Amino acid sequence: MLKKIFPVLILLGVAFLFVKYMSASESKKRFIKHLLKQVQYLPGRYFA
Amino acid sequence: MADYDVIVIGAGCGGISAGAILSSQGRRVLVLEQSPRVGGCCSTFERDGFHFDIGASIVEVIYPLELAFKMCGTEFQREVDLIPCDPIYSYIFRDGSKINYPLSIDDTAKVISAISEEDGKKWYELADYFADLMKQTIEAFFTNPANGFLDMLRMVRKNPKILKFMPLFFTSYQDVIEKYFKDEVVKQTMAFQSFYCGLPPELAPGFVALIPYSEHEGIYYPRGGMISIPEAFRRIGEKKGMEVKFNARVTRVIVRNREACGVELDDGTEITCDVVVSNVNAIKLYSELIGFEHLPALARFGVRSYEPSMSCPMVYLGIDYRPPLEAHHSLTIGPLDLMNYAWWNVLKPGLLPEEPFGLICWPTESDPSLAPEGYHVLNVMSIGPYQLKEKNWDEVKERYVENLINFHSSFSIPELKDHVVIAECATPLDFERQLLSPRGAIYGLQMDLPHQAMFRPCAKSRSIKHLYLTGASTHPGGGVPSVIASGVIAATLVDKYEK
């Protein structure tokens, strides 16, 4: 049962975050973009 | 046996404080400084009887300084004569009107209430919230290592209450300011401080909104100029046997089998040691002084991804009249949206702002001995890019100084242009050359969330044994108290791991 619900919950979560992002102000979007574009570097920075 | 127990590269506030603490522990410490003076950004130089502060202009949040001096066996207030600054800011608007914020929370509330009664009440809410944040985090976060998840867990275990401030890490400075204040003028007076972490209000993390409050816990100017603070560490360290060599530029950290064991100077001299403490910007340290060949692949990727913080041009003025200013610090600012606009549309494309808004420091208001009698000193800091779109800073320097003097003469410091007797300028390019800071970065690295705590270069290097980092490019970041906190952290880690 949990196995079936889990992907749905993930999808709902992603959809919720997407809607939140789309309804955010331009300023907030720039803040989020600024953070997201650096996520790829975090593992390297952690070990630097 | 090595020549020294510890070699500290760089006598900036992080390096000299770490050196003084380590020599107080009985270690044989050598500090190598490439310039002729201590302090780095927190230093003072003299021209024709005028004493100009290179960058840092005041000190606030003095807990890390008190701790560092205590670890040296003395007291901050005994070693440095601190002059309290009140009012803490005078905001000067384009029409020449001024708003002064006094040190007292209550008096500031009165000033804000005169602009907007509702915002006056909200000021108390902001002050209460950030007073709590200061109380809960100053010991747990500022002066403890943040080298990894375990250190972060230790911080939380030490004080679980800090968890309630987590939302501040995922919201912007601007969001915090707009949550509390509605009036545009009040928002302006609270927004500029985001640039103290090198970012515009919409990109700076929410916890930086601590600054408009923390300033009200006290801001101080050290008598004799900002250099008095690193000089005090030097004095104490030398009493304990620490050696400081000036004009000694380190060109290489000697690494064998991923262990730091000494340094090489630009004249070819090699000096050996058991531990290296680097006060050099981490990008420069790993890429030039150590070399990527000594780093694991993941660390190389991490170091390459670091972004230096913003830089700024500084203009140093000696003047022959008492400037019509009302505080040690005056700010010429514009609307909050203009600050964001300037970031994206002026600084990023490499343009110079037509109106060089920024900070005017008037140190002779606090300490008249910094200029000949009847004269004054002004240090003017504005926002400006490192890379200019068309010419370079050396070419535009003179014109920039002239424009800046004319700009301030037009409203913030009337008659200024008729009273300048000496004018000097340090551009981002000069900072890069003089402080060896990549892109002239004044706060080491960016201070946004992906460059914070465990994502900032580790105080105890993960890649090279016996190598420790201090300074603005490591945790907790830029600014005099943070950098001295990094000196405390480096010294504490050396004491713990290098018996």
Side-chain angles (χ1 to χ4, degrees):
Chain A
M1 181 67 180
L2 199 66
K3 263 188 181 174
K4 280 181 186 171
I5 291 175
F6 194 65
V8 177
L9 285 177
I10 295 276
L11 272 176
L12 281 175
V14 170
F16 173 76
L17 289 175
F18 182 73
V19 170
K20 271 288 249 190
Y21 176 79
M22 292 311 284
S23 58
S25 65
E26 285 305 309
S27 165
K28 186 82 180 171
K29 280 179 186 165
R30 282 193 288 269
F31 176 71
I32 294 167
K33 271 186 204 164
H34 179 74
L35 295 185
L36 289 181
K37 76 177 183 188
Q38 294 186 70
V39 168
Q40 57 178 318
Y41 303 130
L42 296 183
R45 286 181 189 169
Y46 184 85
F47 288 101
Chain B
M1 187 183 172
D3 297 330
Y4 291 89
D5 296 332
V6 181
I7 289 180
V8 180
I9 311 172
C13 275
I16 200 78
S17 58
I21 296 169
L22 290 168
S23 56
S24 300
Q25 293 168 357
R27 293 174 194 259
R28 296 173 302 138
V29 177
L30 171 66
V31 180
L32 297 166
E33 168 57 41
Q34 52 91 26
S35 82
R37 64 178 83 85
V38 290
C41 243
C42 177
S43 196
T44 309
F45 68 95
E46 190 262 339
R47 288 282 183 283
D48 302 334
F50 294 92
H51 298 261
F52 301 106
D53 294 320
I54 288 177
S57 57
I58 47 99
V59 61
E60 57 175 282
V61 190
I62 59 173
Y63 168 74
L65 289 92
E66 289 174 330
L67 180 62
F69 280 96
K70 193 177 164 192
M71 289 169 82
C72 294
T74 181
E75 286 172 20
F76 179 36
Q77 281 82 350
R78 202 166 77 194
E79 301 294 337
V80 181
D81 184 5
L82 292 177
I83 305 164
C85 301
D86 188 8
I88 58 168
Y89 280 119
S90 178
Y91 295 94
I92 309 175
F93 296 90
R94 203 64 183 86
D95 62 1
S97 63
K98 289 177 185 170
I99 293 173
N100 295 348
Y101 279 174
L103 181 65
S104 146
I105 297 279
D106 290 334
D107 291 343
T108 300
K110 284 177 197 158
V111 175
I112 296 174
S113 296
I115 305 165
S116 157
E117 206 165 315
E118 193 191 341
D119 285 359
K121 288 176 192 156
K122 286 286 187 180
W123 163 246
Y124 278 116
E125 281 182 32
L126 179 136
D128 286 345
Y129 180 77
F130 283 104
D132 191 25
L133 174 81
M134 282 275 282
K135 193 175 146 195
Q136 307 300 345
T137 59
I138 187 100
E139 282 184 48
F141 187 75
F142 267 94
T143 49
N144 280 299
N147 285 357
F149 285 108
L150 280 178
D151 282 339
M152 304 309 287
L153 284 175
R154 271 185 215 114
M155 279 182 197
V156 175
R157 205 175 58 184
K158 201 169 178 179
N159 188 356
K161 286 180 185 168
I162 61 176
L163 284 175
K164 71 177 173 181
F165 300 105
M166 283 304 283
L168 284 177
F169 284 82
F170 303 102
T171 191
S172 74
Y173 182 102
Q174 181 165 330
D175 288 340
V176 176
I177 296 304
E178 288 185 329
K179 178 184 157 195
Y180 284 97
F181 304 112
K182 298 287 170 273
D183 186 275
E184 285 303 320
V185 173
V186 177
K187 280 197 267 184
Q188 280 182 49
T189 64
M190 300 288 171
F192 185 83
Q193 290 88 329
S194 74
F195 284 103
Y196 291 177
C197 85
L199 290 164
E202 70 178 16
L203 294 188
F207 60 82
V208 180
L210 166 80
I211 300 174
Y213 161 75
S214 67
E215 290 167 328
H216 290 267
E217 289 212 340
I219 64 171
Y220 306 92
Y221 187 72
R223 193 177 300 283
M226 292 304 292
I227 198 171
S228 303
I229 296 172
E231 272 294 352
F233 282 116
R234 178 194 170 189
R235 196 172 56 239
I236 296 159
E238 285 181 335
K239 269 188 207 164
K240 307 276 168 85
M242 178 176 81
E243 291 176 43
V244 183
K245 282 189 186 162
F246 292 103
N247 304 307
R249 186 162 177 170
V250 172
T251 51
R252 187 167 71 96
V253 174
I254 302 168
V255 177
R256 290 194 187 105
N257 302 322
R258 290 209 172 144
E259 293 188 12
C261 53
V263 299
E264 185 180 317
L265 303 183
D266 57 356
D267 62 3
T269 312
E270 287 191 2
I271 311 172
T272 59
C273 61
D274 297 328
V275 175
V276 172
V277 175
S278 168
N279 191 188
V280 181
N281 185 297
I283 299 174
K284 196 173 181 67
L285 170 74
Y286 282 123
S287 64
E288 292 180 27
L289 300 191
I290 288 175
F292 282 128
E293 67 274 18
H294 292 292
L295 302 184
L298 203 53
R300 280 203 292 269
F301 177 67
V303 172
R304 285 197 174 107
S305 77
Y306 286 128
E307 281 182 47
S309 78
M310 68 174 262
S311 187
C312 69
M314 285 281 299
V315 172
Y316 312 105
L317 302 173
I319 53 175
D320 65 0
Y321 80 137
R322 187 180 167 82
L325 297 169
E326 294 174 8
H328 181 101
H329 266 177
S330 296
L331 267 170
T332 53
I333 51 175
L336 193 151
D337 288 342
L338 186 70
M339 295 179 207
N340 293 322
Y341 177 88
W343 177 265
W344 295 109
N345 301 296
V346 180
L347 299 183
K348 284 280 171 187
L351 303 173
L352 277 172
E354 279 177 29
E355 301 201 338
F357 289 108
L359 185 66
I360 304 164
C361 311
W362 181 23
T364 37
E365 153 75 345
S366 304
D367 181 1
S369 73
L370 297 172
E373 203 176 333
Y375 291 80
H376 284 269
V377 163
L378 296 177
N379 303 317
V380 187
M381 181 191 281
S382 309
I383 52 176
Y386 165 78
Q387 189 81 51
L388 295 177
K389 192 178 178 184
E390 286 168 0
K391 296 180 174 178
N392 76 38
W393 271 106
D394 290 338
E395 293 168 307
V396 303
K397 196 172 181 174
E398 250 176 67
R399 189 166 54 89
Y400 176 78
V401 174
E402 202 180 306
N403 284 351
L404 182 122
I405 292 171
N406 287 335
F407 171 71
H408 284 296
S409 294
S410 70
F411 76 107
S412 48
I413 319 173
E415 297 174 35
L416 174 68
K417 64 180 172 190
D418 302 324
H419 294 276
V420 175
V421 294
I422 185 169
E424 298 237 351
C425 177
T427 68
L429 212 50
D430 294 323
F431 281 132
E432 184 174 59
R433 290 168 186 151
Q434 291 161 14
L435 304 173
L436 306 185
S437 189
R439 299 176 68 85
I442 52 171
Y443 302 114
L445 303 178
Q446 281 285 30
M447 300 269 281
D448 51 7
L449 194 59
H451 285 86
Q452 287 288 336
M454 58 192 175
F455 300 119
R456 226 169 165 75
C458 281
K460 180 179 185 296
S461 175
R462 284 182 189 277
S463 308
I464 310 290
K465 271 189 180 176
H466 312 304
L467 174 67
Y468 295 80
L469 278 70
T470 180
S473 65
T474 187
H475 169 75
V480 177
S482 301
V483 168
I484 290 176
S486 79
V488 168
I489 292 169
T492 307
L493 289 171
V494 170
D495 191 38
K496 185 175 174 185
Y497 293 105
E498 309 283 347
K499 293 297 176 195

